[in-house]
Every structure is written in C-alpha cells, then in structure tokens.
C-alpha cells in the first residue's frame, strides 16, 4: 500500500497546454477607493511591502508532507485519483483527446482549466485524505467592497485561500518581471504590471482577512501570502513555478498554512521603471461633463465651462486620514445638493457599504455639515468594461433629470423615485447622490393587495411621462419611511411610447399571478 504523499509527488501533474494568447497583457487597475477603506477599517491587514521568498513554495510542499505523514492510499483510491491527473485527464474513456488541454488562449480558458482539472482534483484529494469537503466560490465579493476575486477556496466551509486567474500573456510578463528582492506597495492608479498585480493581491487578501492567494494562468503560478502585523503587515511572493511535468503547484496549493517568511526591516527594495502605456483609459472619452480634473498634482482642466461646486470625498469612517478624491458637478447637473451641505467646500463622508450591483456600489454617506444620511451610487473605472457601467450611471442620472422636470411641471404629483441631489465626476469616479431609503423588497409575495396596487401605480406614472424602467424586479423597489414605495436603479431605462405597455403587462402578471386581479383604484389599461 502506497502513501498518499508519495503518490502526489509522482502523479499530481497536469498537462501543459500550448500558450496561444495574443491579446494585450494589461490587467484591471487597483481600486484606490477600496484601498482607503482597508486602511481605515483594518490597517493591520494592509501590506506596506512586497517581499520575495524563494523558499515559499518548498515550505508549502514540506508542510503538506508533514500533514499527510504516512497516510495510506488504497489501490482503489489510487485509481480514483489518477483520473484527475495527466495523462488520463486529457482523454475520455474511449481514448479521444480533449481539445481543452491542447492550448490556453485566454484568461477565460485559464479559468476553464482550473474548473475542469485543478479544483476537482483538489476536492478528490481532500476527501480521500480525511473526508474533508473542498469547494470554491466564484466571483466572490468582499464585505464592504465592490471588487471581486475569481475564486475563494474553502475546506469544510473555512477559507483556505484565494485564487485569481490571469491570461497567459499577463502571467508570462509578470513572471519575467518579478523583483529579485521586493518593492514598496503603492495604492495608486497607473502602476506598472507587477506592482499593480501585487497590490491587488494584497488588497483582495486584506479585505477578506485571509493569508493566501494564488495567481495563475494554469500553466504558471505565483504564490502570495499576506503576513499580518500590527505595525508592518507585508506581502510575501514566490518566484514563478510551472505546472510542466511538476506536481509542485498542486502540492503547494494543498499545503497551506506554513510559518510566515522572515521579515527583514533592512531589505533593499527593487525599483521598477514606470511604463508608458499611452493615454489612460478615460483620457479619450468625452463624458460631457465639462470641466475635468486632469492628472494628479495639476489643477482642473477646462473643457467647456467652469463650475463652482467642488467636493472632497473621503472614503470611509475615519476623518483623521486625509485621503480624498476631488469631484466636480457634471455640466448637465441642474439639481441642488441638500441645504445642509451648501457651503464653500462641503465634504461627503462614506460611512457604510450597502450593496453592489451590475452598475456600481452603493454606500451610505453624509455631508460634514449635517447628520442626515444619503445614498451614493459609485462607479470606479478600473477596466475597459467599466466605461459601460459609467455610461449606465449617466443614463440613470438623465432619467432623474426627466423625473425632476416632471415634478416641477406638474406632470407628476407624487414622487416615484428617491430624490436625486446631483451627479459628480472625478478622474476615476462617477458618483450619484440620492435620498437614502428604508429597505429593498425581497419578493413580490411580500406585498399585500393594496401594496401591489401602489407598486403598479408607480410604474404606470413612470410610463405616463414616457419612461420604461426595463429592470422591474423586487430588488429595484424600496420601501419608504411612510409605508410607501419608490422605484430605483434606472440604469437600463429608456424613453417609451405609452401605448405599447409590454412592461406593464408583464408587471400585472408578476403582481397578480397567483390570485384574481385586485387593483382597487388603479386603471390597468
């Protein structure tokens, strides 16, 4: 009878698919907003340095050997595990080769190989050892933050580590450029590839208060560990390890935790030259907002007309740490901020994370001159796809402008949406400040007969001023203090011809699908 550890050393190997990635080696930028949040809420989890440890992977492998010890592997278990490793994983039961293992062409394909090979094999090994249950959660959202990590790995429902998939081109460039000693971590936009990746790894771990993160394109791996320290938290990273004819990556993944790497306060840090990647993502985008801040350290640049309203936005809770982003009102902003905030330089403090959706994150906030709370909907532009989110937020603001005009003209007598106090833009942020509402609906079934009629009338009034909501779900309806309801999230809304009320027809079916039509006082036509 063989030992489980010896089996893994010899057999826990995977195919090395040919790299065929001709895409850009860029990656998502770091969220400075969330970095500020981490600094203020859990500073002991915010790494200041990234230090290389060439022995980190070997430590993990040694730890695994110590954990497994002389644990036996019966013959039936051996055959069960061999199905998950090379060469058998490459072929089906009829001997046909699986093309998924021939090439790796993208980040999406890297995730596919992890999902089909690496993680199922880990699940089998944990179960074979002591019946432990291994699972992964995809696109995990940290509490109080909007950014997602690709995978959270759990054993018996306890987090063992994170995994972030990258494209082959990103991993190759990052592995070739890893500093020999270490670097100071900076929490700013526009960094070169390696500092950006390491800072993001530290941010993902810090927000989730976990110590391990594995960066990989499946072919290549970099292991990161966040060593928590009250005064000097730091990130440790390994050199590149390859899955080619090696069981090291798999054994390292199974081997957490280990003793922390030694911290040397006198370490000589490496310097990485700044990269010139051309214009920033949003430099070529005319947002129609007039004035625009320009690069750090320079005054505002004028595109169309000057503005009077400036806001210094602090990210979370503590007002001692002066980390701020300057915002400007958009050129089409005709809405007034609350009277309590009308001074020369109002400050808007973000006090509590509420939720994150397809468009952006929502925070509870307050102005420094009053105690009343508001809601701030935020889009932070970190990747090309975020420009679409920003456009949806700006579309939502246009709907609020139409609603306000309808109130002022008398076409709407009752409010059907939260009051909007304006839209503001910065270099990387778009912010919409709104009235804070009580609670979001969970289900249509939560509504009484009279409440169904109220909700229906809201949408009916919206259609009467020529707007279709286009995303009518319980999550986009909130309760008010007085027992009424309001519609939220107009990011998908559009102009509408009232005679073609397909949205109203669908809403009628949703509201009264399990009971006879009861809509007292509401015209369903």
């Amino acid at each position: 009878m063989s030992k489980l550890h010896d089996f893994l050393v010899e057999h826990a190997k995977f195919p090395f698919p040919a790299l065929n990635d001709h895409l850009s080696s860029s990656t998502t930028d770091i969220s400075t907003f969330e970095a500020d949040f981490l600094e203020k809420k859990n500073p002991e989890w915010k790494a200041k340095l990234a230090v290389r440890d060439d022995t980190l992977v070997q430590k993990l492998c040694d730890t695994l050997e110590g954990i497994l010890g002389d644990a036996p592997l019966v013959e039936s278990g051996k055959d069960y595990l061999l199905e998950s490793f090379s060469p058998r994983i490459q072929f089906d039961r009829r001997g046909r080769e699986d093309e998924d293992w021939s090439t790796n062409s993208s980040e999406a394909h890297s995730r596919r190989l992890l999902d089909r090979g690496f993680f199922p094999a880990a699940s089998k090994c944990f179960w074979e050892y002591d019946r432990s249950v291994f699972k992964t959660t995809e696109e995990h959202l940290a509490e109080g933050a909007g950014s997602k990590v690709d995978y959270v790995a759990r054993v018996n429902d306890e987090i063992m580590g994170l995994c972030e998939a990258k494209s082959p081109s990103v991993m190759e460039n990052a592995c070739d450029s890893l500093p020999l000693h270490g670097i100071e971590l900076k929490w700013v936009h526009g960094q070169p590839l390696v500092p950006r990746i390491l800072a993001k790894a530290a941010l993902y771990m810090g927000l989730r208060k976990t110590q391990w993160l594995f960066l990989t394109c499946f072919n290549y791996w970099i292991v990161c560990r966040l060593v928590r320290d009250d005064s000097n938290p730091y990130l440790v990273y390994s050199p590149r390890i390859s899955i080619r004819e090696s069981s090291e990556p798999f054994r390292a993944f199974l081997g957490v935790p280990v003793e922390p790497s030694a911290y040397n306060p006198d370490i000589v840090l490496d310097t990485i030259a700044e990269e010139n990647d051309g214009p920033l993502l949003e430099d070529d985008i005319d947002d129609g907002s007039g004035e625009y801040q320009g690069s750090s350290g320079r005054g505002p640049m004028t595109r169309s007309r000057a503005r009077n309203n400036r806001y210094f936005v602090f990210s979370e809770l503590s007002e001692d740490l002066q980390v701020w982003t300057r915002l400007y009102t958009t050129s089409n902003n005709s809405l007034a901020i609350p009277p309590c905030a009308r001074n020369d330089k109002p400050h808007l403090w973000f006090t509590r994370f509420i939720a994150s959706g397809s468009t952006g994150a929502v925070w509870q906030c307050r102005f420094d001159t009053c105690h009343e709370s508001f809601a701030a909907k935020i889009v932070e532009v970190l990747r090309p796809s975020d420009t679409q989110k920003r456009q949806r937020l700006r579309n939502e603001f246009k709907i609020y402008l139409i609603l306000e005009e309808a109130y002022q003209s008398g076409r709407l007598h009752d409010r059907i949406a939260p009051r909007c106090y304006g839209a503001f833009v910065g270099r990387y942020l778009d912010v919409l400040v709104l009235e804070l509402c009580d609670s979001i609906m969970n289900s249509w079934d939560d509504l009484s007969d009279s409440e169904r009629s109220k909700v229906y009338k809201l949408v009916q009034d919206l259609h009467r001023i020529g707007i279709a909501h286009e995303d009518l779900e319980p999550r986009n309806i909130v309760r008010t203090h007085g027992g009424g309801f309001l519609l939220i999230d107009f990011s998908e809304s559009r102009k509408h011809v009232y005679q073609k009320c397909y949205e109203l027809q669908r809403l009628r079916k949703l509201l009264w699908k399990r009971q006879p039509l009861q809509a007292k006082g509401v015209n369903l036509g």
Side-chain angles (χ1 to χ4, degrees), residues 434-496:
L434 303 164
E435 174 189 358
L436 183 66
C437 299
D438 273 6
S439 61
I440 295 174
M441 270 180 46
N442 294 317
S443 168
W444 300 117
D445 295 334
D446 295 341
L447 297 170
S448 66
D449 292 340
S450 61
E451 289 175 336
R452 293 171 196 270
S453 299
K454 290 180 181 179
V455 170
Y456 186 84
K457 186 176 183 303
L458 289 178
V459 182
Q460 203 172 40
D461 287 346
L462 183 68
H463 279 232
R464 282 174 176 155
I465 62 169
I467 302 296
H469 189 282
E470 296 293 358
D471 192 16
L472 285 177
E473 299 293 342
R475 66 176 183 274
N476 289 329
I477 299 172
V478 296
R479 294 181 183 272
T480 64
H481 302 295
F485 297 89
L486 294 173
L487 303 175
I488 60 171
D489 194 355
F490 297 96
S491 57
E492 302 293 335
S493 299
R494 60 178 178 82
K495 291 185 178 180
H496 164 71

Coordinates of all heavy atoms in Angstrom, one line a residue, residues 434-496:
L434 N -28.1 60.3 -3.7 CA -29.5 60.1 -3.7 C -30.1 60.1 -2.3 O -29.3 60.0 -1.3 CB -29.9 58.8 -4.3 CG -29.4 58.5 -5.8 CD1 -29.5 57.0 -6.1 CD2 -30.3 59.3 -6.7
E435 N -31.4 60.3 -2.2 CA -32.1 60.1 -0.9 C -31.9 58.7 -0.5 O -32.0 57.7 -1.2 CB -33.6 60.4 -1.1 CG -34.5 60.1 0.0 CD -35.9 60.3 -0.3 OE1 -36.2 60.6 -1.5 OE2 -36.8 60.0 0.5
L436 N -31.7 58.5 0.8 CA -31.5 57.1 1.4 C -32.9 56.6 1.8 O -33.6 57.2 2.5 CB -30.6 57.2 2.6 CG -30.3 55.9 3.3 CD1 -29.4 55.0 2.4 CD2 -29.5 56.1 4.6
C437 N -33.2 55.4 1.3 CA -34.5 54.8 1.6 C -34.3 53.7 2.6 O -33.2 53.3 3.0 CB -35.0 54.2 0.3 SG -35.3 55.5 -1.0
D438 N -35.5 53.1 3.0 CA -35.5 52.2 4.2 C -35.0 50.8 3.8 O -33.9 50.4 4.2 CB -36.9 52.0 4.7 CG -37.2 53.1 5.7 OD1 -36.4 54.0 5.9 OD2 -38.3 53.1 6.3
S439 N -35.7 50.1 3.0 CA -35.3 48.7 2.7 C -35.7 48.3 1.3 O -36.7 48.8 0.8 CB -35.9 47.7 3.7 OG -37.3 47.8 3.7
I440 N -35.0 47.3 0.8 CA -35.3 46.8 -0.6 C -36.3 45.6 -0.4 O -36.2 44.8 0.5 CB -34.0 46.3 -1.2 CG1 -33.1 47.6 -1.5 CG2 -34.3 45.6 -2.6 CD1 -31.8 47.2 -2.0
M441 N -37.2 45.5 -1.4 CA -38.1 44.4 -1.4 C -37.4 43.1 -1.7 O -36.4 43.1 -2.5 CB -39.2 44.6 -2.5 CG -40.4 45.3 -2.0 SD -41.6 45.5 -3.3 CE -41.6 43.8 -4.1
N442 N -37.8 42.0 -1.1 CA -37.2 40.7 -1.4 C -38.0 39.9 -2.4 O -37.4 39.1 -3.2 CB -37.2 39.9 -0.1 CG -36.2 40.5 0.9 OD1 -35.1 40.9 0.6 ND2 -36.6 40.5 2.2
S443 N -39.3 40.0 -2.4 CA -40.1 39.2 -3.3 C -41.5 39.9 -3.5 O -42.0 40.6 -2.7 CB -40.4 37.8 -2.6 OG -41.4 37.1 -3.3
W444 N -42.1 39.6 -4.7 CA -43.4 40.1 -5.0 C -44.4 39.5 -3.9 O -45.4 40.2 -3.6 CB -43.9 39.7 -6.4 CG -43.0 40.2 -7.5 CD1 -42.3 39.4 -8.4 CD2 -42.8 41.5 -7.9 NE1 -41.6 40.2 -9.3 CE2 -41.9 41.5 -9.0 CE3 -43.2 42.8 -7.4 CZ2 -41.5 42.7 -9.6 CZ3 -42.8 43.9 -8.0 CH2 -41.9 43.9 -9.1
D445 N -44.1 38.4 -3.4 CA -45.0 37.7 -2.5 C -45.1 38.5 -1.1 O -46.0 38.2 -0.3 CB -44.6 36.3 -2.2 CG -44.7 35.4 -3.5 OD1 -45.5 35.8 -4.4 OD2 -44.0 34.4 -3.6
D446 N -44.2 39.4 -0.9 CA -44.2 40.1 0.4 C -45.2 41.2 0.4 O -45.5 41.8 1.4 CB -42.8 40.8 0.6 CG -41.7 39.7 0.8 OD1 -42.0 38.6 1.1 OD2 -40.5 40.1 0.7
L447 N -45.8 41.5 -0.8 CA -46.8 42.6 -0.9 C -48.2 42.2 -0.6 O -48.7 41.1 -1.0 CB -46.7 43.2 -2.3 CG -45.4 43.8 -2.8 CD1 -45.4 44.1 -4.3 CD2 -45.1 45.0 -2.0
S448 N -48.9 43.1 0.1 CA -50.3 42.9 0.3 C -51.0 43.4 -1.0 O -50.4 43.9 -1.9 CB -50.8 43.7 1.5 OG -50.6 45.1 1.3
D449 N -52.4 43.2 -1.0 CA -53.1 43.6 -2.2 C -53.0 45.1 -2.4 O -52.8 45.5 -3.6 CB -54.6 43.2 -2.0 CG -54.8 41.7 -2.0 OD1 -53.9 41.0 -2.5 OD2 -55.8 41.2 -1.5
S450 N -53.2 45.9 -1.4 CA -53.1 47.3 -1.5 C -51.7 47.8 -1.9 O -51.5 48.7 -2.7 CB -53.5 48.0 -0.2 OG -52.6 47.7 0.8
E451 N -50.7 47.1 -1.4 CA -49.3 47.4 -1.8 C -49.0 47.1 -3.2 O -48.2 47.8 -3.9 CB -48.3 46.7 -0.9 CG -48.3 47.2 0.6 CD -47.4 46.4 1.5 OE1 -47.2 45.2 1.2 OE2 -47.0 47.0 2.5
R452 N -49.6 46.0 -3.8 CA -49.4 45.7 -5.2 C -49.9 46.8 -6.1 O -49.3 47.2 -7.1 CB -50.1 44.4 -5.5 CG -49.5 43.2 -4.8 CD -50.4 41.9 -5.0 NE -50.0 40.9 -4.1 CZ -49.1 40.0 -4.3 NH1 -48.5 39.9 -5.5 NH2 -48.8 39.0 -3.4
S453 N -51.1 47.4 -5.6 CA -51.7 48.5 -6.4 C -50.8 49.7 -6.4 O -50.6 50.4 -7.4 CB -53.0 48.8 -5.9 OG -53.9 47.7 -6.0
K454 N -50.1 49.9 -5.2 CA -49.2 51.1 -5.1 C -48.0 50.9 -6.0 O -47.6 51.9 -6.7 CB -48.7 51.2 -3.7 CG -49.8 51.7 -2.7 CD -49.2 51.8 -1.3 CE -50.2 52.3 -0.3 NZ -49.7 52.3 1.1
V455 N -47.4 49.7 -6.0 CA -46.3 49.5 -6.9 C -46.7 49.6 -8.4 O -45.9 50.2 -9.2 CB -45.7 48.1 -6.6 CG1 -44.7 47.7 -7.7 CG2 -45.1 48.1 -5.2
Y456 N -47.8 49.1 -8.7 CA -48.3 49.2 -10.1 C -48.4 50.6 -10.5 O -48.1 51.0 -11.6 CB -49.6 48.4 -10.3 CG -50.0 48.3 -11.7 CD1 -49.5 47.3 -12.6 CD2 -50.9 49.2 -12.2 CE1 -49.9 47.3 -13.9 CE2 -51.3 49.2 -13.6 CZ -50.8 48.2 -14.4 OH -51.2 48.1 -15.7
K457 N -49.0 51.4 -9.7 CA -49.2 52.8 -10.0 C -47.9 53.6 -10.2 O -47.8 54.5 -11.0 CB -50.1 53.5 -8.9 CG -50.5 55.0 -9.3 CD -51.3 55.6 -8.2 CE -51.8 57.0 -8.6 NZ -50.7 57.9 -8.9
L458 N -46.9 53.2 -9.4 CA -45.6 53.9 -9.6 C -45.1 53.7 -11.1 O -44.6 54.6 -11.7 CB -44.5 53.2 -8.7 CG -44.6 53.6 -7.2 CD1 -43.5 52.8 -6.4 CD2 -44.5 55.1 -6.9
V459 N -45.1 52.4 -11.5 CA -44.7 52.1 -12.9 C -45.6 52.8 -13.9 O -45.1 53.2 -15.0 CB -44.6 50.6 -13.1 CG1 -44.0 50.3 -14.5 CG2 -43.7 50.0 -12.0
Q460 N -46.9 52.8 -13.6 CA -47.8 53.4 -14.5 C -47.5 54.9 -14.7 O -47.5 55.5 -15.8 CB -49.2 53.2 -14.0 CG -50.3 53.3 -15.0 CD -51.7 52.9 -14.4 OE1 -52.0 53.3 -13.3 NE2 -52.5 52.2 -15.2
D461 N -47.2 55.6 -13.6 CA -46.8 57.0 -13.6 C -45.5 57.2 -14.4 O -45.4 58.2 -15.1 CB -46.7 57.6 -12.2 CG -48.0 57.7 -11.5 OD1 -49.1 57.7 -12.2 OD2 -48.0 57.9 -10.3
L462 N -44.6 56.3 -14.2 CA -43.3 56.4 -15.0 C -43.6 56.3 -16.5 O -43.0 57.1 -17.3 CB -42.4 55.3 -14.5 CG -41.0 55.3 -15.1 CD1 -40.2 56.4 -14.7 CD2 -40.2 53.9 -14.8
H463 N -44.4 55.4 -16.9 CA -44.8 55.3 -18.3 C -45.5 56.5 -18.8 O -45.3 56.8 -20.0 CB -45.6 54.0 -18.5 CG -44.8 52.7 -18.6 ND1 -44.9 51.8 -19.6 CD2 -43.9 52.3 -17.7 CE1 -44.0 50.8 -19.3 NE2 -43.4 51.1 -18.2
R464 N -46.3 57.1 -18.0 CA -47.0 58.3 -18.5 C -46.2 59.5 -18.8 O -46.6 60.3 -19.6 CB -48.1 58.7 -17.4 CG -49.3 57.8 -17.4 CD -50.2 58.0 -16.3 NE -51.4 57.2 -16.4 CZ -52.2 56.9 -15.4 NH1 -51.9 57.3 -14.2 NH2 -53.3 56.1 -15.5
I465 N -45.0 59.5 -18.3 CA -44.0 60.6 -18.7 C -43.0 60.1 -19.7 O -42.0 60.8 -20.0 CB -43.3 61.2 -17.5 CG1 -42.4 60.1 -16.8 CG2 -44.3 61.8 -16.5 CD1 -41.5 60.8 -15.7
G466 N -43.3 58.9 -20.3 CA -42.5 58.5 -21.4 C -41.3 57.7 -21.1 O -40.3 57.7 -21.9
I467 N -41.2 57.0 -19.9 CA -40.0 56.2 -19.5 C -40.4 54.8 -19.2 O -41.4 54.5 -18.5 CB -39.4 56.8 -18.2 CG1 -39.0 58.3 -18.5 CG2 -38.2 56.0 -17.8 CD1 -37.9 58.5 -19.6
A468 N -39.7 53.8 -19.7 CA -39.8 52.4 -19.4 C -38.6 52.1 -18.5 O -37.5 52.4 -18.8 CB -39.8 51.5 -20.6
H469 N -38.9 51.4 -17.4 CA -37.9 51.1 -16.4 C -36.9 50.1 -16.9 O -35.7 50.2 -16.8 CB -38.5 50.6 -15.1 CG -37.5 50.4 -14.0 ND1 -36.6 49.4 -13.9 CD2 -37.2 51.2 -12.9 CE1 -35.9 49.5 -12.8 NE2 -36.2 50.6 -12.2
E470 N -37.4 49.0 -17.5 CA -36.6 47.9 -18.2 C -35.8 47.0 -17.2 O -35.1 46.1 -17.7 CB -35.6 48.5 -19.2 CG -36.2 49.2 -20.3 CD -36.9 48.3 -21.3 OE1 -37.0 47.1 -21.1 OE2 -37.5 48.8 -22.3
D471 N -36.0 47.1 -15.9 CA -35.4 46.2 -15.0 C -36.3 46.1 -13.7 O -35.8 46.2 -12.6 CB -34.0 46.6 -14.6 CG -33.3 45.5 -13.9 OD1 -33.7 44.3 -14.0 OD2 -32.2 45.8 -13.3
L472 N -37.6 45.8 -13.9 CA -38.5 45.7 -12.8 C -38.4 44.4 -12.1 O -38.9 43.4 -12.5 CB -40.0 45.9 -13.3 CG -40.3 47.4 -13.7 CD1 -41.7 47.4 -14.3 CD2 -40.2 48.3 -12.5
E473 N -37.7 44.4 -11.0 CA -37.5 43.3 -10.1 C -37.7 43.8 -8.7 O -37.5 45.0 -8.4 CB -36.1 42.7 -10.3 CG -35.9 42.1 -11.7 CD -36.7 40.9 -12.0 OE1 -37.3 40.3 -11.1 OE2 -36.8 40.6 -13.2
P474 N -38.0 42.9 -7.7 CA -38.2 43.3 -6.4 C -37.0 44.1 -5.8 O -37.1 45.0 -5.0 CB -38.4 42.0 -5.6 CG -39.0 41.1 -6.6 CD -38.4 41.5 -7.9
R475 N -35.8 43.8 -6.3 CA -34.6 44.4 -5.8 C -34.5 45.9 -6.2 O -33.7 46.7 -5.6 CB -33.3 43.7 -6.3 CG -33.1 43.8 -7.8 CD -31.8 43.2 -8.3 NE -31.7 43.3 -9.7 CZ -32.2 42.5 -10.6 NH1 -32.9 41.4 -10.2 NH2 -32.0 42.7 -11.9
N476 N -35.3 46.3 -7.1 CA -35.3 47.7 -7.6 C -36.5 48.5 -7.1 O -36.9 49.5 -7.7 CB -35.2 47.7 -9.1 CG -33.8 47.3 -9.6 OD1 -32.9 47.5 -8.9 ND2 -33.8 46.7 -10.8
I477 N -37.1 48.0 -6.0 CA -38.3 48.7 -5.4 C -38.0 48.8 -3.9 O -37.6 47.8 -3.3 CB -39.6 47.9 -5.6 CG1 -39.9 47.9 -7.2 CG2 -40.7 48.6 -4.9 CD1 -41.1 47.0 -7.5
V478 N -38.0 50.0 -3.4 CA -37.7 50.2 -2.0 C -38.9 50.7 -1.2 O -39.8 51.4 -1.8 CB -36.5 51.1 -1.8 CG1 -35.3 50.6 -2.4 CG2 -36.8 52.5 -2.4
R479 N -38.9 50.4 0.1 CA -40.0 50.9 1.0 C -39.5 52.3 1.5 O -38.3 52.5 1.8 CB -40.2 50.0 2.1 CG -40.8 48.6 1.7 CD -41.1 47.7 2.9 NE -41.6 46.4 2.4 CZ -42.9 46.2 2.3 NH1 -43.8 47.1 2.5 NH2 -43.3 45.0 1.9
T480 N -40.5 53.2 1.8 CA -40.2 54.5 2.3 C -40.6 54.5 3.8 O -41.2 53.6 4.3 CB -40.9 55.6 1.6 OG1 -42.3 55.4 1.7 CG2 -40.5 55.5 0.1
H481 N -40.2 55.6 4.5 CA -40.5 55.7 5.9 C -42.0 55.7 6.2 O -42.4 55.2 7.2 CB -39.9 57.0 6.5 CG -38.4 57.1 6.3 ND1 -37.5 56.2 6.9 CD2 -37.6 57.9 5.5 CE1 -36.3 56.5 6.6 NE2 -36.3 57.5 5.7
G482 N -42.8 56.3 5.2 CA -44.2 56.4 5.5 C -45.0 55.2 5.0 O -46.2 55.3 5.0
G483 N -44.4 54.1 4.6 CA -45.1 52.9 4.2 C -45.3 52.8 2.7 O -46.0 51.9 2.2
G484 N -44.8 53.8 2.0 CA -45.0 53.8 0.5 C -43.8 53.0 -0.2 O -43.0 52.3 0.5
F485 N -43.7 53.2 -1.5 CA -42.7 52.6 -2.3 C -42.1 53.5 -3.3 O -42.8 54.5 -3.7 CB -43.3 51.4 -3.0 CG -43.8 50.3 -2.1 CD1 -45.1 50.3 -1.7 CD2 -43.0 49.3 -1.7 CE1 -45.6 49.3 -0.9 CE2 -43.5 48.3 -0.9 CZ -44.8 48.3 -0.5
L486 N -40.9 53.3 -3.7 CA -40.2 54.1 -4.7 C -39.5 53.1 -5.6 O -39.0 52.1 -5.2 CB -39.2 55.1 -4.1 CG -39.8 56.2 -3.2 CD1 -38.7 57.0 -2.6 CD2 -40.7 57.1 -4.1
L487 N -39.3 53.5 -6.9 CA -38.5 52.8 -7.9 C -37.1 53.3 -7.8 O -36.8 54.4 -7.6 CB -39.1 53.0 -9.3 CG -40.5 52.7 -9.5 CD1 -40.9 53.1 -10.9 CD2 -40.8 51.2 -9.3
I488 N -36.1 52.3 -8.0 CA -34.7 52.7 -8.0 C -34.1 52.0 -9.2 O -34.7 51.1 -9.8 CB -34.0 52.3 -6.7 CG1 -34.1 50.8 -6.5 CG2 -34.5 53.0 -5.5 CD1 -33.2 50.3 -5.3
D489 N -32.8 52.4 -9.4 CA -32.0 51.8 -10.5 C -32.6 52.0 -11.9 O -33.2 51.1 -12.5 CB -31.7 50.3 -10.2 CG -30.5 49.8 -11.1 OD1 -30.1 50.6 -12.0 OD2 -30.1 48.7 -10.9
F490 N -32.3 53.2 -12.4 CA -32.8 53.5 -13.8 C -31.7 53.3 -14.8 O -31.7 54.0 -15.9 CB -33.4 54.9 -13.8 CG -34.6 55.1 -12.9 CD1 -34.4 55.6 -11.6 CD2 -35.8 54.7 -13.4 CE1 -35.5 55.7 -10.8 CE2 -37.0 54.9 -12.5 CZ -36.8 55.4 -11.2
S491 N -30.7 52.5 -14.5 CA -29.5 52.5 -15.4 C -29.9 51.8 -16.8 O -29.2 52.1 -17.8 CB -28.4 51.7 -14.8 OG -28.8 50.4 -14.4
E492 N -30.9 51.0 -16.8 CA -31.3 50.4 -18.1 C -32.5 51.1 -18.7 O -33.0 50.6 -19.7 CB -31.6 48.9 -17.8 CG -30.5 48.1 -17.3 CD -29.3 48.0 -18.2 OE1 -29.5 48.1 -19.4 OE2 -28.2 47.8 -17.7
S493 N -33.0 52.1 -18.1 CA -34.3 52.8 -18.5 C -34.1 53.5 -19.9 O -33.0 53.9 -20.2 CB -34.8 53.7 -17.5 OG -35.0 53.1 -16.2
R494 N -35.2 53.6 -20.5 CA -35.2 54.3 -21.9 C -36.5 55.0 -22.1 O -37.5 54.8 -21.4 CB -35.0 53.2 -22.9 CG -36.1 52.2 -23.0 CD -35.9 51.2 -24.1 NE -37.0 50.2 -24.1 CZ -38.2 50.3 -24.6 NH1 -38.5 51.5 -25.2 NH2 -39.1 49.4 -24.5
K495 N -36.5 55.9 -23.1 CA -37.8 56.5 -23.5 C -38.7 55.5 -24.0 O -38.4 54.5 -24.6 CB -37.5 57.6 -24.5 CG -36.7 58.8 -23.9 CD -36.5 59.9 -24.9 CE -35.8 61.1 -24.3 NZ -35.6 62.2 -25.3
H496 N -40.0 55.8 -23.9 CA -41.0 54.8 -24.1 C -42.3 55.4 -24.7 O -42.7 56.6 -24.4 CB -41.4 54.2 -22.7 CG -42.7 53.4 -22.6 ND1 -42.8 52.2 -23.2 CD2 -43.9 53.7 -22.1 CE1 -44.0 51.7 -23.0 NE2 -44.7 52.6 -22.3

